[in-house]
Amino acid sequence: MDRLVNTVRPYAWGSATAIPELLGTEPTGEPQAELWMGAHPGAPSRVDRGEGPVALSDVISADPEGELGPAAVGHFGPRLPFLLKVLAAASPLSLQVHPDLAQAEAGFADEEARGVPVDAADRNYKDANHKPELICALTPFDGLCGFRDADEAAGLLAALEVDSIKPYVDILHAHPESHALREVLTAVLTADREAIADTVHQTAAAAERLGAQDGPHAPAYRAYASIARHYPGDPGVIAAMLLNYVQLQPGEALYLGAGVPHAYLDGLGVEIMANSDNVLRCGLTPKHIDVPELLRIVRFESEAPGVLRPEADSSGEEVYTTPIDEFRLSRYVLAEGTAPSPLPSRTPQILLCASGTAVLHGTGGDGAELRLAQGESAFVPAGEAVALSGPGTVFRATVAA
């Protein structure tokens, strides 16, 4: 078992205080958006096995089966197939979707064949992998996830009483749902930015007004008004109103599969995802938006966001069930004085202490222990038997294979 030294990514939307508070460090005054734990080449964690710090990605590359186990290597190849993060949003992230595996493989091959540089601003596919993800709230956490029912979206827009929005309302009422959602999103994203800016401003003002009143959609209107303050005039503000507004309480989670439009708005959470950088953006960003490719990837289906709550088994492990193999996230809430809980050891795992203290006990006879304070994490190779004690809350990230 190895203590991880992790990198904080300073994206502009990040909170200046949430991750420092978790880690018990002084804020730098700059945004600290994501704490990465894993072997992603963009910012791999580092471990020290007595010869100085080494990137976890290099440790795994030197002995994939020894670190990941034969089953994981056989299923996913010689790499850790997931990335674990702590995400701290103080302002909205871009509205985005991720491709499925077949779309990612085809899109990556096409851009490679056309010679589009991987670091080009207009590149869509940085790799050939899909990017399903799960976000679990550590604090109250706000986000957008999936399309609203078309009639509900029409009512939400109609209540704004903005004349230039009415054509979108008519479309949402008059067409079959999938066509309606596609047509409205296409119209919003292909409109002339200057021409639609006034509509966005009127929409934002109306959302501000409705958010200050009582009503079932007041929290959603407040969220859309906040988005507009961060991205004034951005057509993505109207696109966001087509999506479900979700408020997660600590311990609740959302799973985001391929083609589901989403955005994180505010809060601190633990995020786990397949190891990929493939993102197609819909708005709320100055970055490249490839509208035709985006429309090909988006699933135009309304769906109520399924808020996940962990399911406990007899060992005390609380599992967030998802339909994919690349990652499996679970949680242990450990009381003081209880016996150490043995952890399954067939697969590689990363353990994150989210609150309190966690102690990893080696059960191989050498008596090794590793103590983790709040915000600290550890990598446990496949096959290494460990048990876990508290008092604290620990997230366990591994693979489902």
Side-chain angles (χ1 to χ4, degrees), residues 238-281:
I238 299 174
M241 293 188 176
L242 301 175
L243 306 187
N244 297 294
Y245 170 60
V246 187
Q247 293 178 296
L248 298 178
Q249 296 305 309
E252 295 181 334
L254 282 176
Y255 171 74
L256 300 156
V260 177
H262 62 277
Y264 302 145
L265 304 180
D266 182 76
L268 182 71
V270 174
E271 184 183 32
I272 189 168
M273 62 187 63
N275 238 338
S276 174
D277 285 329
N278 287 327
V279 175
L280 289 113
R281 296 174 176 84

Side-chain angles (χ1 to χ4, degrees), residues 198-256:
D198 185 58
T199 296
V200 176
H201 291 312
Q202 292 182 55
T203 298
E208 194 87 53
R209 171 176 51 81
L210 292 171
Q213 301 174 7
D214 291 331
H217 293 304
Y221 284 125
R222 288 195 292 271
Y224 299 136
S226 175
I227 291 169
R229 288 193 294 273
H230 285 99
Y231 296 97
D234 191 312
V237 173
I238 299 174
M241 293 188 176
L242 301 175
L243 306 187
N244 297 294
Y245 170 60
V246 187
Q247 293 178 296
L248 298 178
Q249 296 305 309
E252 295 181 334
L254 282 176
Y255 171 74
L256 300 156

Side-chain angles (χ1 to χ4, degrees), residues 52 65-66 94-95 108-109 123 176 193 200 216 236 248 256 261 292 353 379:
E65 288 204 358
S94 62
L95 193 60
F108 180 76
R123 175 98 184 206
R193 298 262 317 193
V200 176
L248 298 178
L256 300 156
C353 181
F379 172 71

Side-chain angles (χ1 to χ4, degrees), residues 79 98-107 128-132 258 278 326:
R79 63 187 182 88
H98 307 302
D100 64 25
L101 186 57
Q103 292 165 338
E105 290 173 342
N129 200 15
H130 62 164
K131 193 186 179 186
N278 287 327
E326 280 90 343

